[in-house]
Amino acid sequence: MNAHHPGSTRKGWILFAVMAFVWGITYLFIKEAVHSFSPPAVVAGRTLLGGLILLPFALRSGALAAAWKHWPWVLAFGLIEMAGPFLLLSHAETQLPSGLTGLLVSTVPLFAVLIALLRGDRSALAPIRLGGLLLGFAGVAVVVAGPGLFPHGPGSAFAIGEILLTAVMYAIAPFIIALKLRDVPSLGTITLALFAIGIGYLPAGLLTQHEVPTIRSTVSLVLLGVVCTALAFVAFFALIREVGPVRAPLFTYINPIVAIVLGTIVLAEPLTPGLLIGFPIVLIGCWFAATGGRLRPREPQPPQPSQL
């Protein structure tokens, strides 16, 4: 695995840009898809389509067979990373602008720091990281409570809760990978999880789909499954291999910018004062909470002779 910073290799920068755009545009496609697909149908469609795209590669490499041996933890990963978040995002975007959704999801690093702290990582109590944690949540409060945010009434408050719960799940999922699925091929884990979640949601998707989907929603769902699910996961794990798991998630700081810009241009979503004020506060807080203000993670110190 390459230990360099994303900017130190051309491939790293390309993968970084791909992830920032692909998972930033996800919220636009979800917003378009739920216009005529029910949220369960969106989840079933994107996961089954993503799984079908990856299936030949997973079978040929033997990754699927390897993942099947660990199916309980693969299923747990799928529930936390896909089943819950995909449905919550789809339902929330029936109430919220796509740009705001992308911004609230970017709070994942804040919850990851809290989870690490609960697991005994005392480095989260360092003044800079703790200050970033508090600043990030203060930014969320500004976004949520700021003027101009609630055009749809109480439904927006419930949808915001759904997005923050999604961020918590996205923060938990990497711990499952690191602790239980570290030696399982990533392609097999992703493919098996996508099929499990897709098949599980298919009955609900069929029962809740009461209207004929529009062409625009259908195209959005296809792009959501192919680009933002199958190809995005492949690119994400390639980025991890290129720059390491610590630096790879840095693209999440760019995602909300992409989501907000596309939502404003394509969907004419409003830029509320609360969003404009809270947006930079959230990103700055996430950065300091997750990195301590360093572009490069601190190198581990070699043990002293007395510790050997």
Side-chain angles (χ1 to χ4, degrees), residues 4 34 46 69 85 87 112-113 116 136 187 227 247 251 274 282 294:
H4 297 300
V34 295
R46 70 178 292 189
K69 298 177 182 178
L87 181 65
V113 170
L187 185 60
V227 178
R247 304 174 186 88
F251 70 84
V282 171
R294 296 185 301 272

Side-chain angles (χ1 to χ4, degrees), residues 245-303:
V246 175
R247 304 174 186 88
L250 292 179
F251 70 84
T252 58
Y253 300 108
I254 310 298
N255 284 354
I257 300 175
V258 176
I260 290 172
V261 169
L262 289 174
T264 302
I265 295 175
V266 178
L267 302 177
E269 294 176 346
L271 290 175
T272 67
L275 187 62
L276 292 174
I277 296 171
F279 173 69
I281 298 176
V282 171
L283 295 190
I284 292 171
C286 286
W287 172 264
F288 281 108
T291 69
R294 296 185 301 272
L295 289 176
R296 296 173 180 269
R298 191 186 302 275
E299 296 296 333
Q301 297 296 323

